[in-house]
Amino acid sequence: MKRIKSALISVFHKDGLDDILKKLDHLKVEIISTGGTYDHIIKLGYKAKTVESITNYPSIFGGRVKTLHPDIFGGILHRRDNKNDISQLAEYKIPAIDLVIVDLYPFEETLTKTSDESQIIEKIDIGGISLIRAAAKNFKDVLIVPSKEQYADLYQILDQQEGQSSLEDRKKFAAQAFKVSSHYDTAIFNYFNQNNEIEVFKISQEKGETLRYGENPHQKGIFFGDMEKIFSQLHGKAISYNNLVDLDAAIKLIKEFTEPTFAILKHTNACGLASDNRLSIAWEKALAGDPISAFGGVLACNKEVDENTAKEINKLFFEIIIAPSFEKNALELLKSKKNRIILQAKSYDFPNQTFKSVLNGSLIQGSDHISETKNDIEVITKSSPSAKELDDLIFANIIVKHTKSNAIVLVKDKQLVGSGTGQTSRVDALKQAILKAQSFKLNLNGAVMASDAFFPFADSVEIANDAGVKAVIQPGGSVRDKDSIEYCNNNNMSMVFTGNRHFKH
């Protein structure tokens, strides 16, 4: 056990410091401090020495250099069990420092408030991060408190252990210190490498939430991130691992639509989706697309949920609903199920990169932000799609982009009427989509088809035509594109190319 006799305090945020100071004063710990922190301590009525009185050197360059001095870092880094270190400490009259309390300049917070680079750069902490690393390195002798998040743990040592820390305590705090410093440096690096000119993958998420379990009950699950930036939970049980995976897919999908739209997802794929001028009709059409798969699904819409729509939704058992807002009566109605998760979506732009762990590393890629419009497509058949078909083709292409490959989507009147998801062949995906539509008695005459990738043979358009499909949208790019085009031309079908494949694995 080591007793704290002296402390260096240099913090940006002063809140929460008062109780610590009271305990340090009670334990007769000598305090050394800097600038605004020193002024705060004196204002509260406690004694302290300035760093300048130790170093005999003023704070210079507008406060950029205050603690960076051998008399400070020597007091932290000297080894108490090393005779030469102790001798040099005495020779240069350096005061020993047993406790270091730091709270860094808020670099990440500054990024959210301004794009002014001069302001951002000034919030890169130099002295503070150096103090943290020095004290953490010498954890055998020094206790480091790297942020206000550790104040409660420090208070426990000061109160219950009467200012004495064990080696285990100090090593635990040192681990927290390197967590703080590595996260801080990662944020700074990513700011300077926004264009990814340096091909290095660095990510640091401090906020972790333990989930009930992972994908399956025998797997541990933790979410690192901030859900509150994406949505507010208004009702229901804790969100699970699988819920989060589905929500990620649902939010990205529903953001693509501007008309009143309802989507029903299961295992990240849309099993029902429709747009209409009235949200209640959009819900009715979405549910009709696959009322069996909708059971226990995740619902997402892009408009306020009104009471009439809520009455219809409430007839179905579902896990989650997310919407931008809810009418008061609609919300109360939906709350009738205790465990039902109700989320209010916030405006949020997803990152420009995605990543996943594979083998012994990570795969990183740019996000698929391309969503083709009418101006992006090329008609490659003699027959052109009608205005209505063109609207449906664009609609279907959005859905297929968000569907697991191999994927085929069938749409009619802005309603998903059939989808084939995650199949090992494109023909199988199409057959699954047709079977879905037929099983729910949805008429495919005049429907359109979207494919996430090109057709290697003409068999898919032949099967689609036999089912009633008359317009097709696909990326193109097969060496046998001409076979599909020729079939369409001979059977009064229209086909358009987008030039962009949308695989999703």
Side-chain angles (χ1 to χ4, degrees):
M1 301 292 286
K2 286 186 178 289
R3 181 176 295 279
I4 298 168
K5 298 178 182 177
S6 59
L8 172 65
I9 307 176
S10 180
V11 297
F12 183 86
H13 293 104
K14 312 299 188 292
D15 50 305
L17 194 59
D18 298 15
D19 291 338
I20 301 294
L21 291 169
K22 185 176 181 180
K23 279 294 176 185
L24 292 175
D25 182 66
H26 174 73
L27 294 167
K28 296 181 170 49
V29 175
E30 187 176 82
I31 297 173
I32 304 167
S33 193
T34 62
T37 308
Y38 172 82
D39 294 339
H40 179 74
I41 293 169
I42 297 302
K43 186 177 179 180
L44 291 173
Y46 299 108
K47 295 179 181 179
K49 292 181 179 179
T50 64
V51 165
E52 292 85 349
S53 70
I54 303 298
T55 63
N56 293 312
Y57 216 87
S59 172
I60 56 176
F61 309 130
R64 280 188 164 198
V65 179
K66 297 190 288 284
T67 57
L68 296 169
H69 193 282
D71 284 351
I72 298 300
F73 281 84
I76 296 169
L77 282 165
H78 75 279
R79 291 157 290 188
R80 273 65 165 176
D81 58 358
N82 185 297
K83 290 182 179 180
N84 288 334
D85 285 11
I86 296 300
S87 175
Q88 286 185 317
L89 194 76
E91 179 183 354
Y92 294 107
K93 299 178 181 178
I94 299 173
I97 297 173
D98 307 315
L99 168 66
V100 177
I101 303 175
V102 175
D103 187 65
L104 298 170
Y105 291 164
F107 179 79
E108 289 180 283
E109 186 181 324
T110 303
L111 289 179
T112 65
K113 293 180 178 178
T114 182
S115 59
D116 184 337
E117 187 161 272
S118 63
Q119 293 185 44
I120 292 168
I121 297 304
E122 285 307 311
K123 286 298 183 288
I124 298 177
D125 206 314
I126 304 300
I129 205 78
S130 301
L131 290 170
I132 287 174
R133 292 179 63 84
K137 177 178 180 177
N138 203 24
F139 70 89
K140 284 180 64 179
D141 298 308
V142 179
L143 181 65
I144 171 63
V145 179
S147 80
K148 61 181 181 178
E149 304 302 322
Q150 281 75 47
Y151 283 0
D153 291 335
L154 171 61
Y155 186 86
Q156 185 174 334
I157 288 174
L158 298 177
D159 184 48
Q160 297 183 17
Q161 298 173 204
E162 297 183 344
Q164 295 187 84
S165 65
S166 66
L167 180 61
E168 184 182 357
D169 291 330
R170 295 190 295 277
K171 196 167 185 177
K172 175 184 170 185
F173 275 81
Q176 290 285 349
F178 285 118
K179 182 201 79 170
V180 169
S181 66
S182 62
H183 179 80
Y184 198 76
D185 285 341
T186 296
I188 295 169
F189 169 77
N190 286 333
Y191 169 76
F192 279 96
N193 195 43
Q194 292 178 65
N195 296 325
N196 299 305
E197 293 177 358
I198 305 172
E199 291 187 351
V200 175
F201 178 51
K202 288 183 180 291
I203 186 168
S204 178
Q205 292 280 3
E206 285 191 309
K207 192 173 181 180
E209 182 174 333
T210 300
L211 307 172
R212 293 197 304 275
Y213 49 79
E215 198 163 11
N216 299 293
H218 62 275
Q219 294 171 273
K220 182 179 179 181
I222 303 174
F223 173 71
F224 287 96
D226 189 355
M227 295 184 216
E228 282 294 320
K229 287 185 177 180
I230 316 294
F231 51 72
S232 297
Q233 184 164 356
L234 306 180
H235 182 73
K237 63 184 179 181
I239 298 172
S240 72
Y241 179 101
N242 290 330
N243 290 157
L244 288 169
V245 174
D246 284 334
L247 278 168
D248 180 73
I251 295 168
K252 288 175 180 175
L253 172 60
I254 204 68
K255 278 172 68 73
E256 299 262 20
F257 299 93
T258 54
E259 289 182 86
T261 302
F262 239 110
I264 308 169
L265 282 83
K266 287 290 285 290
H267 300 288
T268 74
N269 295 304
C271 58
L273 195 150
S275 294
D276 192 271
N277 290 332
R278 290 174 295 170
L279 190 64
S280 60
I281 301 301
W283 163 253
E284 181 183 317
K285 291 166 65 177
L287 181 61
D290 188 346
I292 293 177
S293 295
F295 183 86
V298 172
L299 315 184
C301 72
N302 58 355
K303 303 296 178 184
E304 181 176 73
V305 177
D306 58 86
E307 185 177 4
N308 288 335
T309 305
K311 286 178 180 178
E312 294 305 312
I313 295 169
N314 201 46
K315 296 175 182 177
L316 176 75
F317 169 75
F318 59 90
E319 285 267 336
I320 301 174
I321 181 168
I322 183 166
S325 59
F326 300 84
E327 285 185 1
K328 184 178 178 180
N329 291 342
L331 181 59
E332 291 307 309
L333 182 62
L334 293 172
K335 282 182 177 181
S336 61
K337 304 295 183 183
K338 182 178 71 172
N339 290 328
R340 180 181 285 164
I341 297 170
I342 303 174
L343 307 174
Q344 183 168 345
K346 298 179 181 179
S347 177
Y348 180 77
D349 292 322
F350 283 91
N352 292 322
Q353 282 189 328
T354 63
F355 61 91
K356 64 169 68 176
S357 61
V358 295
L359 301 175
N360 62 348
S362 301
L363 280 174
I364 300 114
Q365 66 173 349
S367 299
D368 187 359
H369 287 319
I370 294 176
S371 293
E372 290 80 11
T373 67
K374 295 176 184 178
N375 297 325
D376 300 317
I377 62 173
E378 177 188 3
V379 179
I380 43 82
T381 50
K382 293 177 181 177
S383 175
S384 295
S386 67
K388 174 183 167 299
E389 287 174 333
L390 191 54
D391 285 340
D392 278 349
L393 287 170
I394 297 301
F395 187 90
N397 194 56
I398 291 172
I399 300 173
V400 85
K401 167 188 165 181
H402 291 270
T403 304
K404 291 288 187 182
S405 300
N406 286 314
I408 292 289
V409 161
L410 304 177
V411 163
K412 185 176 180 181
D413 298 328
K414 294 187 179 178
Q415 177 191 17
L416 175 61
V417 292
S419 62
T421 64
Q423 298 302 301
T424 52
S425 81
R426 203 150 299 282
V427 168
D428 284 347
L430 174 56
K431 288 179 178 178
Q432 183 189 62
I434 293 170
L435 181 62
K436 282 268 190 180
Q438 291 173 344
S439 66
F440 298 116
K441 296 181 171 49
L442 296 169
N443 187 354
L444 291 178
N445 288 322
V448 306
M449 174 172 69
S451 175
D452 62 335
F454 64 65
F455 297 113
F457 305 102
D459 49 4
S460 290
V461 290
E462 292 177 27
I463 296 169
N465 181 51
D466 290 343
V469 171
K470 288 301 177 184
V472 180
I473 186 168
Q474 59 136 322
S478 169
V479 294
R480 302 187 65 168
D481 276 344
K482 59 179 176 36
D483 294 350
S484 297
I485 296 170
E486 184 178 350
Y487 181 87
C488 289
N489 285 334
N490 292 337
N491 290 274
N492 197 31
M493 293 178 71
S494 63
M495 181 183 287
V496 300
F497 282 0
T498 65
N500 295 307
R501 188 180 71 187
H502 289 293
F503 270 166
K504 185 184 178 191
H505 294 104

